[in-house]
Amino acid sequence: MIELGKYAGTVLAAYGVSLALLAGLIWHTIVANARARRDLERQERNG
């Protein structure tokens, strides 16, 4: 692993937060897309 010196904790925490935020954004996008598809299909069925 890369030697990060005295900043290792800060750098790894920043990576962790960044990955968590990216995962959250991806999850939110997938859920919003599924909801929009459901709503659109319902709207098309009901006219």
Side-chain angles (χ1 to χ4, degrees), residues 6-24:
K6 67 179 184 175
Y7 299 109
T10 303
V11 171
L12 294 177
Y15 276 124
V17 170
S18 297
L19 288 175
L21 287 173
L22 281 173

PDB file of all heavy atoms in Angstrom, residues 6-24:
ATOM      1  N   LYS A   6       1.811  10.729   8.122  1.00  0.00           N
ATOM      2  CA  LYS A   6       0.965  11.172   9.224  1.00  0.00           C
ATOM      3  C   LYS A   6      -0.444  11.553   8.770  1.00  0.00           C
ATOM      4  O   LYS A   6      -1.323  11.747   9.588  1.00  0.00           O
ATOM      5  CB  LYS A   6       1.610  12.340   9.955  1.00  0.00           C
ATOM      6  CG  LYS A   6       1.722  13.616   9.151  1.00  0.00           C
ATOM      7  CD  LYS A   6       2.353  14.725   9.975  1.00  0.00           C
ATOM      8  CE  LYS A   6       2.367  16.027   9.204  1.00  0.00           C
ATOM      9  NZ  LYS A   6       2.856  17.128  10.020  1.00  0.00           N
ATOM     10  N   TYR A   7      -0.668  11.652   7.480  1.00  0.00           N
ATOM     11  CA  TYR A   7      -1.991  12.013   6.958  1.00  0.00           C
ATOM     12  C   TYR A   7      -2.829  10.799   6.565  1.00  0.00           C
ATOM     13  O   TYR A   7      -3.905  10.952   5.988  1.00  0.00           O
ATOM     14  CB  TYR A   7      -1.848  12.932   5.747  1.00  0.00           C
ATOM     15  CG  TYR A   7      -1.140  14.216   6.074  1.00  0.00           C
ATOM     16  CD1 TYR A   7       0.150  14.451   5.611  1.00  0.00           C
ATOM     17  CD2 TYR A   7      -1.742  15.175   6.868  1.00  0.00           C
ATOM     18  CE1 TYR A   7       0.802  15.620   5.912  1.00  0.00           C
ATOM     19  CE2 TYR A   7      -1.093  16.355   7.185  1.00  0.00           C
ATOM     20  CZ  TYR A   7       0.183  16.567   6.702  1.00  0.00           C
ATOM     21  OH  TYR A   7       0.832  17.733   7.015  1.00  0.00           O
ATOM     22  N   ALA A   8      -2.354   9.614   6.881  1.00  0.00           N
ATOM     23  CA  ALA A   8      -3.034   8.390   6.452  1.00  0.00           C
ATOM     24  C   ALA A   8      -4.488   8.366   6.911  1.00  0.00           C
ATOM     25  O   ALA A   8      -5.387   8.049   6.125  1.00  0.00           O
ATOM     26  CB  ALA A   8      -2.295   7.162   6.963  1.00  0.00           C
ATOM     27  N   GLY A   9      -4.732   8.672   8.156  1.00  0.00           N
ATOM     28  CA  GLY A   9      -6.101   8.633   8.672  1.00  0.00           C
ATOM     29  C   GLY A   9      -7.015   9.597   7.957  1.00  0.00           C
ATOM     30  O   GLY A   9      -8.144   9.257   7.584  1.00  0.00           O
ATOM     31  N   THR A  10      -6.538  10.798   7.731  1.00  0.00           N
ATOM     32  CA  THR A  10      -7.337  11.818   7.055  1.00  0.00           C
ATOM     33  C   THR A  10      -7.610  11.428   5.610  1.00  0.00           C
ATOM     34  O   THR A  10      -8.740  11.555   5.127  1.00  0.00           O
ATOM     35  CB  THR A  10      -6.608  13.170   7.093  1.00  0.00           C
ATOM     36  OG1 THR A  10      -6.343  13.503   8.453  1.00  0.00           O
ATOM     37  CG2 THR A  10      -7.432  14.255   6.457  1.00  0.00           C
ATOM     38  N   VAL A  11      -6.589  10.952   4.921  1.00  0.00           N
ATOM     39  CA  VAL A  11      -6.748  10.575   3.515  1.00  0.00           C
ATOM     40  C   VAL A  11      -7.699   9.387   3.387  1.00  0.00           C
ATOM     41  O   VAL A  11      -8.614   9.391   2.548  1.00  0.00           O
ATOM     42  CB  VAL A  11      -5.384  10.254   2.874  1.00  0.00           C
ATOM     43  CG1 VAL A  11      -5.559   9.642   1.489  1.00  0.00           C
ATOM     44  CG2 VAL A  11      -4.531  11.508   2.805  1.00  0.00           C
ATOM     45  N   LEU A  12      -7.527   8.379   4.212  1.00  0.00           N
ATOM     46  CA  LEU A  12      -8.402   7.207   4.140  1.00  0.00           C
ATOM     47  C   LEU A  12      -9.829   7.553   4.520  1.00  0.00           C
ATOM     48  O   LEU A  12     -10.782   7.041   3.918  1.00  0.00           O
ATOM     49  CB  LEU A  12      -7.851   6.087   5.019  1.00  0.00           C
ATOM     50  CG  LEU A  12      -6.516   5.504   4.548  1.00  0.00           C
ATOM     51  CD1 LEU A  12      -6.017   4.456   5.532  1.00  0.00           C
ATOM     52  CD2 LEU A  12      -6.646   4.920   3.150  1.00  0.00           C
ATOM     53  N   ALA A  13     -10.000   8.436   5.487  1.00  0.00           N
ATOM     54  CA  ALA A  13     -11.347   8.882   5.851  1.00  0.00           C
ATOM     55  C   ALA A  13     -11.987   9.634   4.687  1.00  0.00           C
ATOM     56  O   ALA A  13     -13.173   9.459   4.398  1.00  0.00           O
ATOM     57  CB  ALA A  13     -11.298   9.757   7.095  1.00  0.00           C
ATOM     58  N   ALA A  14     -11.217  10.468   4.014  1.00  0.00           N
ATOM     59  CA  ALA A  14     -11.742  11.203   2.864  1.00  0.00           C
ATOM     60  C   ALA A  14     -12.146  10.243   1.745  1.00  0.00           C
ATOM     61  O   ALA A  14     -13.191  10.427   1.106  1.00  0.00           O
ATOM     62  CB  ALA A  14     -10.704  12.196   2.349  1.00  0.00           C
ATOM     63  N   TYR A  15     -11.326   9.219   1.504  1.00  0.00           N
ATOM     64  CA  TYR A  15     -11.690   8.210   0.517  1.00  0.00           C
ATOM     65  C   TYR A  15     -12.968   7.499   0.936  1.00  0.00           C
ATOM     66  O   TYR A  15     -13.853   7.258   0.110  1.00  0.00           O
ATOM     67  CB  TYR A  15     -10.575   7.174   0.342  1.00  0.00           C
ATOM     68  CG  TYR A  15      -9.487   7.580  -0.619  1.00  0.00           C
ATOM     69  CD1 TYR A  15      -8.160   7.609  -0.208  1.00  0.00           C
ATOM     70  CD2 TYR A  15      -9.771   7.910  -1.931  1.00  0.00           C
ATOM     71  CE1 TYR A  15      -7.149   7.978  -1.084  1.00  0.00           C
ATOM     72  CE2 TYR A  15      -8.769   8.266  -2.820  1.00  0.00           C
ATOM     73  CZ  TYR A  15      -7.462   8.297  -2.385  1.00  0.00           C
ATOM     74  OH  TYR A  15      -6.473   8.651  -3.264  1.00  0.00           O
ATOM     75  N   GLY A  16     -13.071   7.143   2.186  1.00  0.00           N
ATOM     76  CA  GLY A  16     -14.261   6.457   2.678  1.00  0.00           C
ATOM     77  C   GLY A  16     -15.511   7.294   2.518  1.00  0.00           C
ATOM     78  O   GLY A  16     -16.547   6.805   2.053  1.00  0.00           O
ATOM     79  N   VAL A  17     -15.429   8.563   2.891  1.00  0.00           N
ATOM     80  CA  VAL A  17     -16.581   9.459   2.749  1.00  0.00           C
ATOM     81  C   VAL A  17     -16.941   9.626   1.277  1.00  0.00           C
ATOM     82  O   VAL A  17     -18.125   9.592   0.908  1.00  0.00           O
ATOM     83  CB  VAL A  17     -16.298  10.824   3.407  1.00  0.00           C
ATOM     84  CG1 VAL A  17     -17.364  11.841   3.054  1.00  0.00           C
ATOM     85  CG2 VAL A  17     -16.190  10.664   4.924  1.00  0.00           C
ATOM     86  N   SER A  18     -15.956   9.784   0.434  1.00  0.00           N
ATOM     87  CA  SER A  18     -16.207   9.943  -1.004  1.00  0.00           C
ATOM     88  C   SER A  18     -16.890   8.709  -1.580  1.00  0.00           C
ATOM     89  O   SER A  18     -17.866   8.829  -2.341  1.00  0.00           O
ATOM     90  CB  SER A  18     -14.906  10.196  -1.757  1.00  0.00           C
ATOM     91  OG  SER A  18     -14.332  11.401  -1.329  1.00  0.00           O
ATOM     92  N   LEU A  19     -16.411   7.536  -1.226  1.00  0.00           N
ATOM     93  CA  LEU A  19     -17.028   6.305  -1.728  1.00  0.00           C
ATOM     94  C   LEU A  19     -18.452   6.154  -1.206  1.00  0.00           C
ATOM     95  O   LEU A  19     -19.350   5.738  -1.950  1.00  0.00           O
ATOM     96  CB  LEU A  19     -16.182   5.089  -1.338  1.00  0.00           C
ATOM     97  CG  LEU A  19     -14.862   4.952  -2.091  1.00  0.00           C
ATOM     98  CD1 LEU A  19     -14.057   3.778  -1.527  1.00  0.00           C
ATOM     99  CD2 LEU A  19     -15.110   4.761  -3.573  1.00  0.00           C
ATOM    100  N   ALA A  20     -18.676   6.502   0.054  1.00  0.00           N
ATOM    101  CA  ALA A  20     -20.020   6.412   0.623  1.00  0.00           C
ATOM    102  C   ALA A  20     -20.974   7.379  -0.090  1.00  0.00           C
ATOM    103  O   ALA A  20     -22.116   7.017  -0.402  1.00  0.00           O
ATOM    104  CB  ALA A  20     -19.981   6.702   2.122  1.00  0.00           C
ATOM    105  N   LEU A  21     -20.514   8.588  -0.360  1.00  0.00           N
ATOM    106  CA  LEU A  21     -21.354   9.555  -1.066  1.00  0.00           C
ATOM    107  C   LEU A  21     -21.655   9.100  -2.495  1.00  0.00           C
ATOM    108  O   LEU A  21     -22.790   9.232  -2.968  1.00  0.00           O
ATOM    109  CB  LEU A  21     -20.688  10.928  -1.082  1.00  0.00           C
ATOM    110  CG  LEU A  21     -20.687  11.670   0.250  1.00  0.00           C
ATOM    111  CD1 LEU A  21     -19.836  12.936   0.147  1.00  0.00           C
ATOM    112  CD2 LEU A  21     -22.096  12.010   0.684  1.00  0.00           C
ATOM    113  N   LEU A  22     -20.660   8.572  -3.176  1.00  0.00           N
ATOM    114  CA  LEU A  22     -20.886   8.062  -4.533  1.00  0.00           C
ATOM    115  C   LEU A  22     -21.882   6.913  -4.526  1.00  0.00           C
ATOM    116  O   LEU A  22     -22.782   6.847  -5.371  1.00  0.00           O
ATOM    117  CB  LEU A  22     -19.572   7.611  -5.163  1.00  0.00           C
ATOM    118  CG  LEU A  22     -18.689   8.722  -5.713  1.00  0.00           C
ATOM    119  CD1 LEU A  22     -17.340   8.150  -6.149  1.00  0.00           C
ATOM    120  CD2 LEU A  22     -19.357   9.415  -6.873  1.00  0.00           C
ATOM    121  N   ALA A  23     -21.738   6.010  -3.581  1.00  0.00           N
ATOM    122  CA  ALA A  23     -22.676   4.884  -3.474  1.00  0.00           C
ATOM    123  C   ALA A  23     -24.083   5.394  -3.202  1.00  0.00           C
ATOM    124  O   ALA A  23     -25.058   4.899  -3.782  1.00  0.00           O
ATOM    125  CB  ALA A  23     -22.222   3.925  -2.375  1.00  0.00           C
ATOM    126  N   GLY A  24     -24.197   6.380  -2.328  1.00  0.00           N
ATOM    127  CA  GLY A  24     -25.506   6.954  -2.033  1.00  0.00           C
ATOM    128  C   GLY A  24     -26.130   7.615  -3.239  1.00  0.00           C
ATOM    129  O   GLY A  24     -27.329   7.467  -3.497  1.00  0.00           O
TER     130      GLY A  24
END
